[in-house]
Amino acid sequence: MASTSSPTLHLSTELKFPFDPSHRRRRKSTFAPSLSSGKTVRSREPIAVRYRRHASPPSSSTVPNAVLKGHTTQDRVQGDEAPCPPQLEVQSRVWNWRGYSIRYQCCGDSGPALVLIHGFGANSDHWRKNIPVLAKSHRVYAIDLIGYGYSDKPNPRDFGDDLFYTFETWATQINDFSVQVVKDKAFFICNSIGGVVGLQAAVMQPQICRGIVILNISLRMLHIKKQPWYGRPLIRSFQNLLRNTMLGKFFFNSVATPESVEGILCQCYHDTSQVTDELVQKILQPGLEPGAVDVFLEFICYSGGPLPEELLPLVKCPVLIAWGDKDPWEPIELGRAFRNFDSVEDFVVLPDVGHCPQDEAPHLVNPLVESFVARHAAPSTAST
C-alpha cells in the first residue's frame, strides 16, 4: 500500500505507511468514441485515461464490457455496471518457502494466472476487492511478502551484516511462488513498492512473468542515489538512530494504533469514505504481530537497491502503469516520465484516485487488469 518516498531530502518523521529519462516525445490526446453512437463524449462518471503506446488492439471478444472498444491515443475506461454474480470463495493458505510460512490467498480455477503483490505495510487483504472479481476468468493469487501480513517475520539482525528485506529477496519469493505454487507463467499485478518487487522479479527470471500491471509505483525518492552527497551521511546517521535505539520502537508504537493508521490512510486515499474500520483493522492487525516492528524499521532504513527507472529498461515483458492522479506521496507529474520506456505500453491516469487504486477504485482497476491480460494471454490449459 504505502510508499516510503518523499519529495525532499528533509528527514521528516511523517510516516508514509502502508509507506529522468530525457528526449521524451509528447503525444496528442483525443477522446475515445462512445460505445453506443461512435461519437466523442465527455462522461461525468469517473474514468481512466489511457495513453497507449503499442498498437495491435485486441478483438472485441477479448475485452470486458468495462473497456471501450475504440482504440485511440487516449482511451477511456469505465466500470462495468452490469449486475454482479455471486462472488467466488477466496481461500487462505500457507506455503512453506525456505523454512518460512508464507500466507497467500487464492481464488479461481481457470484462465491466466495473476499474482497480486501488495505495498509496504500492507498485505494480501488489500486486494480483497479485486480477488473474487478477477477470479471469474483468472486464477488469482495474492501473497503476503515475507515480513508482512501473516507471513513469517524473521528478525533482520539474525542475518548479520547481510540485508534480508530487500527487493531481491521479495523478487526471489515471487518467482519461487510462481514456480512452486502457481506452477505456470503469471501476470504480476502490483501496488507501490510491490511494483518494484514485480519489476525485479521479471528482470531476475524473465521466463516466468507474462506481463506487469503497476499501480502507483513507489518512486523511492529517499533512495541514496537521489540525495545530494552532502545529505547522505545525515541520512545514514538518522537510519542508524532509528534502527539501533529505542527511538525507532517509539516511532513505530506511535503509528501502530487504529487512530494513526486511519489518519495515514486518509492521507493517501482521495476518497476517504473508502477508509473503513475493516480496512484499518486489516492493515493494523498484522503489524501488531511479533517481529513486525523490526521489519518496519529495517525497511524504512533501506535506501539502496533498485530504482524503477533502472529496472524498466531491463524488463522484457509488456508493462501497464496506472496512476491515481491524487496520490500525495508519488506525484503523477514524476510518474508520467515512465510512459515512454519501451516496455511500458500503457500509462493510465485514474482521475480523483489516491495511492492505492486497487482498493479505492476497484471498478476502474479490475477492468484495466482484465483488458491488459486479455491482450497478452496466450491460450493456456493450466489450472489448479
Side-chain angles (χ1 to χ4, degrees):
M1 164 181 121
S3 164
T4 52
S5 299
S6 171
T8 67
L9 171 65
H10 304 307
L11 297 176
S12 171
T13 57
E14 175 188 2
L15 174 62
K16 295 183 175 180
F17 194 88
F19 162 156
D20 94 282
S22 59
H23 307 296
R24 301 308 191 193
R25 294 181 290 112
R26 294 186 178 273
R27 291 177 173 76
K28 296 180 180 179
S29 297
T30 60
F31 289 97
S34 165
L35 284 175
S36 58
S37 65
K39 296 179 181 179
T40 297
V41 296
R42 295 177 184 263
S43 171
R44 293 184 180 180
E45 298 299 319
I47 52 178
V49 182
R50 169 182 292 156
Y51 298 86
R52 175 159 301 158
R53 294 201 54 190
H54 304 298
S56 188
S59 63
S60 59
S61 62
T62 65
V63 182
N65 292 335
V67 180
L68 298 181
K69 297 177 184 178
H71 292 274
T72 61
T73 305
Q74 177 176 307
D75 292 344
R76 289 182 172 264
V77 178
Q78 281 191 288
D80 193 346
E81 297 179 357
C84 296
Q87 291 188 343
L88 300 174
E89 179 183 0
V90 179
Q91 299 182 6
S92 182
R93 298 178 180 176
V94 175
W95 166 54
N96 186 295
W97 180 60
R98 304 187 178 190
Y100 300 113
S101 294
I102 304 297
R103 193 271 291 249
Y104 70 95
Q105 302 182 58
C106 58
C107 189
D109 57 10
S110 63
L114 313 181
V115 176
L116 280 49
I117 309 172
H118 63 79
F120 171 61
N123 57 81
S124 58
D125 289 333
H126 213 192
W127 300 97
R128 70 198 184 285
K129 299 178 183 178
N130 317 99
I131 299 172
V133 176
L134 296 173
K136 296 171 187 175
S137 54
H138 306 84
R139 290 170 290 136
V140 183
Y141 302 83
I143 189 170
D144 288 359
L145 296 174
I146 190 166
Y148 294 106
Y150 294 99
S151 291
D152 279 351
K153 301 169 179 61
N155 192 323
R157 297 180 185 275
D158 292 342
F159 300 90
D161 294 333
D162 296 328
L163 295 177
F164 180 73
Y165 292 104
T166 66
F167 290 106
E168 290 79 8
T169 297
W170 290 316
T172 300
Q173 178 189 355
I174 294 299
N175 285 331
D176 288 351
F177 180 78
S178 299
V179 171
Q180 298 174 23
V181 178
V182 179
K183 298 180 180 179
D184 196 4
K185 295 180 180 180
F187 290 90
F188 298 158
I189 317 299
C190 320
N191 175 229
S192 192
I193 69 158
V196 184
V197 174
L199 291 174
Q200 180 70 57
V203 169
M204 290 171 65
Q205 295 196 46
Q207 73 278 9
I208 291 176
C209 184
R210 304 175 73 174
I212 308 174
V213 176
I214 300 175
L215 309 171
N216 290 64
I217 192 169
S218 171
L219 298 170
R220 305 205 65 206
M221 296 303 292
L222 286 180
H223 194 284
I224 199 68
K225 292 182 180 178
K226 296 189 175 183
Q227 306 308 319
W229 65 267
Y230 54 82
R232 296 176 184 179
L234 183 60
I235 291 175
R236 292 192 182 96
S237 297
F238 183 69
Q239 290 172 337
N240 289 332
L241 186 66
L242 285 177
R243 188 189 289 118
N244 299 318
T245 71
M246 291 303 296
L247 177 62
K249 289 183 171 58
F250 174 80
F251 178 44
F252 177 82
N253 291 335
S254 70
V255 298
T257 66
E259 297 77 15
S260 293
V261 171
E262 180 181 7
I264 293 163
L265 289 168
C266 285
Q267 290 179 16
C268 68
Y269 279 57
H270 181 67
D271 179 4
T272 56
S273 70
Q274 299 302 313
V275 180
T276 62
D277 291 341
E278 176 197 27
L279 174 62
V280 170
Q281 287 303 311
K282 287 189 178 296
I283 297 297
L284 175 62
Q285 284 304 123
L288 301 179
E289 291 204 332
V293 59
D294 296 308
V295 178
F296 169 83
L297 294 174
E298 188 72 7
F299 186 75
I300 65 173
C301 294
Y302 175 47
S303 56
L307 292 166
E309 56 267 35
E310 295 172 341
L311 295 172
L312 279 169
L314 306 177
V315 172
K316 305 301 182 185
C317 63
V319 178
L320 180 150
I321 297 179
W323 214 287
D325 68 352
K326 295 300 190 292
D327 187 341
W329 297 343
E330 311 294 353
I332 191 171
E333 291 76 16
L334 298 178
R336 290 182 194 275
F338 293 149
R339 69 185 181 187
N340 291 312
F341 281 99
D342 288 342
S343 58
V344 179
E345 69 167 36
D346 285 351
F347 186 93
V348 182
V349 179
L350 304 174
D352 298 322
V353 179
H355 184 65
C356 308
Q358 78 277 13
D359 189 61
E360 185 179 345
H363 61 290
L364 296 179
V365 170
N366 291 336
L368 283 176
V369 173
E370 291 169 339
S371 176
F372 176 80
V373 173
R375 292 201 299 274
H376 298 290
S380 174
T381 58
S383 63
T384 55

